[in-house]
Amino acid sequence: QVQLVESGGGSVQAGGSLRLSCKYSGYKYCEYDMSWYLQAPGKEREFVTGIDSAGRISYADSVKSRFTISRDNAENTVYLQMNSLQPEDTAMYYCKRRSQPGSLYPVCRNAYWGQGTQVTVSS
């Protein structure tokens, strides 16, 4: 199995910063291509940013200049540094381990999600 545990959410005022962490664990032969998603109340979950096992990074346009994803492979942790937060960033933030459909190992073929961490930005 693969497990993801997010932390670092909280309440901040507009213009503030937060750093989210996602610690992952599980089968060592899986690749850990990781993403962050957000889900605002009443809305669908949406992609924020991702980093693959080779360190390639992508961002949603809405966060490109404000958020930074990084990873520490020795600590099995992915980070999301969020700066210049705005009230519209208020959401539950989820960490995801992307599926690996071509893996030889069945446990690695599925996508996995963390439980989420709440970010609230007040104006």
Side-chain angles (χ1 to χ4, degrees):
Q1 276 291 353
V2 173
Q3 292 184 322
L4 309 176
V5 180
E6 301 102 328
S7 61
S11 297
V12 296
Q13 291 192 326
S17 298
L18 283 173
R19 188 195 197 201
L20 307 184
S21 299
C22 172
K23 189 166 182 65
Y24 55 89
S25 61
Y27 196 56
K28 65 177 182 178
Y29 294 113
C30 294
E31 291 183 3
Y32 288 87
D33 295 348
M34 305 298 292
S35 302
W36 287 97
Y37 284 70
L38 65 84
Q39 187 166 20
K43 296 187 177 182
E44 293 187 354
R45 199 169 295 187
E46 61 184 70
F47 173 80
V48 176
T49 180
I51 183 167
D52 68 12
S53 54
R56 291 173 291 229
I57 292 172
S58 58
Y59 292 100
D61 288 342
S62 59
V63 306
K64 204 170 279 187
S65 61
R66 301 184 297 125
F67 291 7
T68 302
I69 191 172
S70 61
R71 69 189 303 160
D72 183 336
N73 291 328
E75 295 294 328
N76 287 352
T77 302
V78 176
Y79 301 99
L80 180 62
Q81 177 67 43
M82 304 187 295
N83 298 328
S84 301
L85 283 162
Q86 299 301 316
E88 52 266 34
D89 296 317
T90 294
M92 187 73 80
Y93 284 73
Y94 295 91
C95 181
K96 176 187 177 183
R97 182 258 173 193
R98 301 177 198 166
S99 63
Q100 192 181 342
S103 175
L104 294 175
Y105 311 100
V107 70
C108 302
R109 294 174 191 160
N110 299 325
Y112 295 89
W113 294 89
Q115 82 288 352
T117 185
Q118 178 67 39
V119 171
T120 302
V121 185
S122 59
S123 57

